[in-house]
Amino acid sequence: MVELTVTPQSSLADRPVQIRVRGLSPSQLVTLRAWLKDEQGECFQSRAFFRADGAGEVDPGLHAALGGSYSGVWPMGLFWFLQPDTLFRRLVKRDVAGSPFRLRLEVLDGLCLGAAPREQPLASCEAERWYVGPGVQRLPVRDGRVRGALFLPP
């Protein structure tokens, strides 16, 4: 049985996470896909192709991506290389304090090049990326023409 994990499952957006796939066949070719929908419903996704090691595992922090949205060893590549399905869209988090981005991760058998895979993933999981830590206060700032926000730690 294939298992995909993200550790920690919930974290601040600037903190690294570890992605691991276990239970693959040795040398199996797989696609790791990450996607999310922003607050306007736009889809952003990234993908990377990997060959499992001799133990049937894939770790983007140790194993080089063979292609896709990026190539080489990038532990956070699936998060950093998210691209919009619609051209000229930017991934922006407007409600930074109220909710996280929920990023869906999937492992697909073989090379998956299409925008939406036609087959069921071998495994999937979800990661939450928060932009404001617990207990942080957001205070709006308005002084003359200056607009902004002050974030105060607990």
Side-chain angles (χ1 to χ4, degrees), residues 90-110:
R90 287 188 333 162
L91 184 58
V92 176
K93 183 71 172 136
R94 303 224 184 270
D95 180 18
V96 294
S99 64
F101 269 141
R102 287 186 171 80
L103 193 76
R104 188 86 177 149
L105 295 148
E106 299 171 340
V107 181
L108 302 154
D109 191 25

Side-chain angles (χ1 to χ4, degrees), residues 24-152:
L24 299 168
S25 300
S27 300
Q28 182 176 353
L29 197 58
V30 294
T31 300
L32 286 182
R33 176 178 178 249
W35 62 274
L36 63 81
K37 289 199 177 192
D38 70 1
E39 294 158 333
Q40 281 76 44
E42 290 292 329
C43 188
F44 291 78
Q45 63 179 312
S46 63
R47 68 187 69 240
F49 312 129
F50 291 92
R51 185 170 301 282
D53 65 12
E57 296 185 0
V58 170
D59 181 345
L62 299 174
H63 303 115
L66 306 173
S69 301
Y70 66 95
S71 60
V73 178
W74 291 82
M76 296 292 295
L78 290 169
F79 291 72
W80 292 340
F81 291 97
L82 288 167
Q83 294 294 313
D85 284 355
T86 306
L87 291 176
F88 308 114
R89 299 288 183 168
R90 287 188 333 162
L91 184 58
V92 176
K93 183 71 172 136
R94 303 224 184 270
D95 180 18
V96 294
S99 64
F101 269 141
R102 287 186 171 80
L103 193 76
R104 188 86 177 149
L105 295 148
E106 299 171 340
V107 181
L108 302 154
D109 191 25
L111 299 178
C112 252
L113 300 172
R118 292 186 175 98
E119 61 194 53
Q120 282 291 102
L122 299 174
S124 62
C125 68
E126 191 172 273
E128 291 182 347
R129 303 295 279 174
W130 290 88
Y131 282 78
V132 175
V136 172
Q137 291 181 343
R138 181 185 188 274
L139 302 174
V141 174
R142 292 182 181 270
D143 187 18
R145 294 184 353 203
V146 174
R147 301 287 184 264
L150 173 64
F151 292 89
L152 296 174

